[in-house]
Amino acid sequence: MLFLHGFPEFWFSWRYQLREFKSEFRVVAIDMRGYGESDLPLSTESYHLDYLVTDVKDIVEYLGPMEVGSETGTSRLHGRVTGYSRCCLVGHDWGGTIAWLFAIHYPEMVTKLIVLNCPHPSVFTDYTLRHPSQLLKSSHFFFFQLPCFPELMLSINDFKGKRSKVDK
């Protein structure tokens, strides 16, 4: 079970789910590119959706190819169990967008898809085209595309607005 966090979270947002599902699944929650303790990309180009989807593919592949005929889907690499070639993929918010796109491009690598707080990309596009007011409701997407301004706004009053949300 692979968990993809939302914005501006990191792997820790899945701590309760990791505890809950660890007895029945191999659970992995990652810091997506540029979040938490992952490396910060050198350019914003590195956040292109193709790269983010490829990150997920690389992680699933890194966890290990499935042994032919294996009932559990585990394999051995250098004497240790390494993982799966498919996963139950769980995404929230921005991680949900990446999860949808991963499942669309690599359906053979997804056994189940669970997406929280994020519509299917084509449904969102179709709805937005019929209801332009949705663009206003999604204006935060555009806000975070601006250079430097989001950081400035979030840092006002020593990040007080951000901290109050985290403390809740």
Side-chain angles (χ1 to χ4, degrees):
M1 186 173 264
L2 179 60
F3 293 91
L4 306 177
H5 60 78
F7 174 83
E9 303 164 333
F10 61 108
W11 77 267
F12 189 70
S13 62
W14 295 111
R15 65 193 176 281
Y16 300 115
Q17 291 79 10
L18 293 172
R19 273 192 294 237
E20 178 65 29
F21 293 111
K22 73 180 181 181
S23 64
E24 293 185 42
F25 296 91
R26 181 178 182 194
V27 295
V28 177
I30 62 166
D31 280 341
M32 291 181 16
R33 185 182 287 237
Y35 292 88
E37 297 196 14
S38 70
D39 292 338
L40 187 62
L42 296 175
S43 76
T44 55
E45 178 66 29
S46 297
Y47 289 103
H48 192 274
L49 291 172
D50 291 341
Y51 294 126
L52 300 173
V53 169
T54 299
D55 286 348
V56 176
K57 180 177 183 286
D58 290 346
I59 289 164
V60 173
E61 289 174 344
Y62 176 79
L63 292 173
M66 188 162 57
E67 218 171 59
V68 176
S70 170
E71 293 296 316
T72 62
T74 60
S75 64
R76 296 207 171 263
L77 179 65
H78 305 295
R80 67 181 177 87
V81 174
T82 59
Y84 302 88
S85 62
R86 302 179 302 151
C87 68
C88 174
L89 187 58
V90 183
H92 170 253
D93 185 59
W94 179 239
T97 299
I98 306 308
W100 275 120
L101 294 173
F102 181 78
I104 290 166
H105 292 288
Y106 301 102
E108 71 281 1
M109 296 181 81
V110 178
T111 57
K112 291 187 182 192
L113 177 65
I114 302 166
V115 177
L116 307 149
N117 197 28
C118 181
H120 187 281
S122 64
V123 171
F124 180 74
T125 301
D126 292 345
Y127 185 85
T128 302
L129 289 173
R130 287 180 310 192
H131 302 90
S133 64
Q134 181 61 45
L135 283 174
L136 289 175
K137 296 173 185 172
S138 304
S139 62
H140 63 286
F141 292 153
F142 306 112
F143 172 75
F144 287 106
Q145 299 291 318
L146 298 170
C148 302
F149 190 66
E151 291 85 351
L152 174 68
M153 295 304 293
L154 290 173
S155 68
I156 289 176
N157 204 9
D158 196 28
F159 296 92
K160 185 177 180 182
K162 185 70 191 132
R163 273 197 306 254
S164 66
K165 182 178 179 186
V166 172
D167 293 339
K168 287 182 180 180

